[in-house]
């Protein structure tokens, strides 16, 4: 087993652990900006839905990393490229989904400037 494969296994395992923590709403402290909000601001967000969404995104990225791992094991550059494209696409989707439409705000009447 090469060092590259070992590192990919460790990173994939880390993403799977984080995804499980987010799905079970145990890692909300890792959501950027949430801890710095005042209690009044925190009350405006549905942290359970946001946390579960982040867990699903991390599971999807973990699947892409498993594809990368498979590509490394069978020495397939195509799988590695596909994995990279998937990670970028999933990440972009997650960012756009979160910042548009106030999906995780409890008070839907408030809009961003």
């Amino acid at each position: 087993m090469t060092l590259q494969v070992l590192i990919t296994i460790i990173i994939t395992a880390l993403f799977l652990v984080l995804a499980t923590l987010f799905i079970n709403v145990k890692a909300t402290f890792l959501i950027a900006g949430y801890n710095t909000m005042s209690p009044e601001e925190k009350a405006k967000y549905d942290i359970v839905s946001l946390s579960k969404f982040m867990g699903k995104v991390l599971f999807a990225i973990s699947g892409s990393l498993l594809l990368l791992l498979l590509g490394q094991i069978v020495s397939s550059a195509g799988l590695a490229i596909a994995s990279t494209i998937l990670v970028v696409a999933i990440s972009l989707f997650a960012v756009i989904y979160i910042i548009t439409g106030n999906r995780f705000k409890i008070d839907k009447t408030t809009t961003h400037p």
Side-chain angles (χ1 to χ4, degrees):
M1 180 175 353
T2 67
L3 182 62
Q4 188 177 17
V5 171
L6 184 62
I7 290 171
T8 304
I9 290 170
I10 292 169
I11 292 172
T12 304
L14 177 66
F15 269 78
L16 287 170
V17 168
L18 286 173
T20 303
L21 289 173
F22 273 110
I23 286 286
N24 293 313
V25 195
K26 302 289 185 195
T28 57
F29 63 92
L30 292 175
I31 297 174
Y34 184 72
N35 281 337
T36 60
M37 290 182 185
S38 66
E40 296 82 24
E41 281 292 313
K42 286 182 179 181
K44 293 179 182 178
Y45 289 90
D46 182 2
I47 194 64
V48 172
S49 293
L50 178 58
S51 183
K52 288 183 184 239
F53 174 75
M54 289 306 301
K56 291 173 186 174
V57 168
L58 288 172
F59 274 127
I61 291 174
S62 297
S64 298
L65 292 175
L66 288 172
L67 188 64
L68 174 65
L69 180 62
L70 179 63
Q72 290 172 345
I73 291 170
V74 299
S75 298
S76 171
L79 284 175
I81 292 169
S83 171
T84 303
I85 291 170
L86 272 173
V87 168
V88 170
I90 292 165
S91 300
L92 284 174
F93 165 76
V95 169
I96 292 168
Y97 186 83
I98 289 172
I99 65 173
T100 58
N102 294 326
R103 287 177 175 84
F104 299 106
K105 275 201 163 191
I106 292 173
D107 179 16
K108 302 267 185 191
T109 60
T110 306
T111 58
H112 292 289

